Amino acid sequence: YLGQAFFDKNWEGFKQISFSSIVFAFLASVGVLIIVFNPIFDILNLIGIDKKFFITIIFVVIGNSLINTTNGILTSALKNTKIIIPTSISSASRFVVLFSIIYFYDISELIVAYAYTAYYPILGTFMIIITAVYLKSIPGKIKFNPQKLKLVLRGSLANWVPNVTELIGIQMGILT
């Protein structure tokens, strides 16, 4: 739907779909975190992830969600070149964070996890800023539209199950 709005030069629709998608991605991530950290479900204990990885899990869940959403927005607007440098910087930042922390502290699995997950808040921040600047540069108002969100949810449902399954598998392999 973003690509269609872009090619039709429906800037108002493009902005509404984009903003609604970002809001939904953030709220869905918070919802997932509430479930994961809820002591009633005790999911972390069930899958064998220590609670000391609390911060890294937050970075991965929220960061990955926002990165994927903003990446889709910029790709639909044919702005792929704006993604390359932030992604490279964020990937390299893992090593900077790791070596900086190792310099001041002893190495541990938590330190390595922090270094690895530094990518998510760094790239997520870059991508939100780049997307916001781009959306501000095109005509129309940025606003949340529940109808556009419903459209996006219906259209993207086919991708959810495989993407969620892949994400869970990747992140469980990283954290365990």
Side-chain angles (χ1 to χ4, degrees), residues 6-85:
F6 178 79
F7 284 110
D8 290 344
K9 297 189 184 328
N10 176 2
W11 305 123
E12 188 88 18
F14 187 88
K15 283 185 165 185
Q16 289 177 5
I17 292 169
S18 298
F19 187 69
S20 299
S21 297
I22 290 170
V23 168
F24 176 75
F26 180 75
L27 293 176
S29 296
V30 170
V32 166
L33 291 171
I34 288 170
I35 292 169
V36 167
F37 295 130
N38 189 324
I40 293 171
F41 300 114
D42 203 21
I43 291 174
L44 294 179
N45 192 38
L46 288 173
I47 59 178
I49 297 176
D50 197 328
K51 295 203 187 321
K52 67 184 174 184
F53 293 107
F54 181 84
I55 299 295
T56 59
I57 293 168
I58 292 171
F59 284 163
V60 169
V61 171
I62 293 176
N64 195 48
S65 179
L66 292 176
I67 290 165
N68 287 336
T69 303
T70 53
N71 191 3
I73 292 166
L74 294 172
T75 301
S76 294
L78 304 177
K79 300 294 181 188
N80 297 24
T81 56
K82 295 185 181 281
I83 299 169
I84 296 168
I85 292 175

Side-chain angles (χ1 to χ4, degrees), residues 62-139:
I62 293 176
N64 195 48
S65 179
L66 292 176
I67 290 165
N68 287 336
T69 303
T70 53
N71 191 3
I73 292 166
L74 294 172
T75 301
S76 294
L78 304 177
K79 300 294 181 188
N80 297 24
T81 56
K82 295 185 181 281
I83 299 169
I84 296 168
I85 292 175
T87 302
S88 300
I89 291 170
S90 300
S91 291
S93 71
R94 293 175 176 174
F95 300 107
V96 173
V97 171
L98 179 63
F99 294 130
S100 299
I101 293 174
I102 289 173
Y103 181 78
F104 294 107
Y105 303 100
D106 292 331
I107 191 161
S108 70
E109 67 273 1
L110 187 59
I111 297 298
V112 173
Y114 283 154
Y116 178 81
T117 57
Y119 167 85
Y120 293 96
I122 293 169
L123 183 57
T125 302
F126 277 138
M127 295 294 283
I128 288 290
I129 291 169
I130 292 167
T131 302
V133 167
Y134 172 69
L135 290 175
K136 206 170 178 189
S137 74
I138 59 177

